[in-house]
Amino acid sequence: MPDTADAVAGALSRARAALGGGEPDLGIVFASPVHPLADVMALARRTVPGADWVGCSSAGELTEAGATSGGVATVLVSFGDAAFRLSDVESLDDIEG
């Protein structure tokens, strides 16, 4: 069975390198179902506590290095002075307008 902690650590290490030293404001994670999403999110939040996080399970993970299956992929985003807001939507019917 794959080691979730190792998968998250590797994905975050690659994402930090790609960010180029900026402080991440937002983290996005895609995780194979072999890695419990709650565990993946907890590890990501603990490792990069200053970022807001969103995540989902995936049937395959795409990165700049190519496609994988059974792994974890993350993206870290630094907005600088820009502001953003996360919203939780259960259904597209919940969106006004």
Side-chain angles (χ1 to χ4, degrees):
M1 175 159 230
D3 185 292
T4 298
D6 286 346
V8 172
L12 288 174
S13 176
R14 290 185 295 277
R16 277 198 178 275
L19 190 59
E23 279 301 311
D25 297 307
L26 175 65
I28 304 168
V29 64
F30 301 92
S32 164
V34 301
H35 301 286
L37 187 58
D39 295 348
V40 171
M41 296 301 291
L43 288 162
R45 287 184 179 117
R46 195 172 322 133
T47 305
V48 187
D52 289 314
W53 283 92
V54 295
C56 65
S57 59
S58 65
E61 303 76 47
L62 300 175
T63 70
E64 70 282 354
T68 65
S69 183
V72 174
T74 60
V75 176
L76 295 174
V77 181
S78 177
F79 289 104
D81 293 333
F84 72 98
R85 183 182 75 172
L86 296 178
S87 296
D88 182 14
V89 176
E90 293 290 326
S91 166
L92 292 179
D93 294 333
D94 295 340
I95 300 174
E96 292 182 28

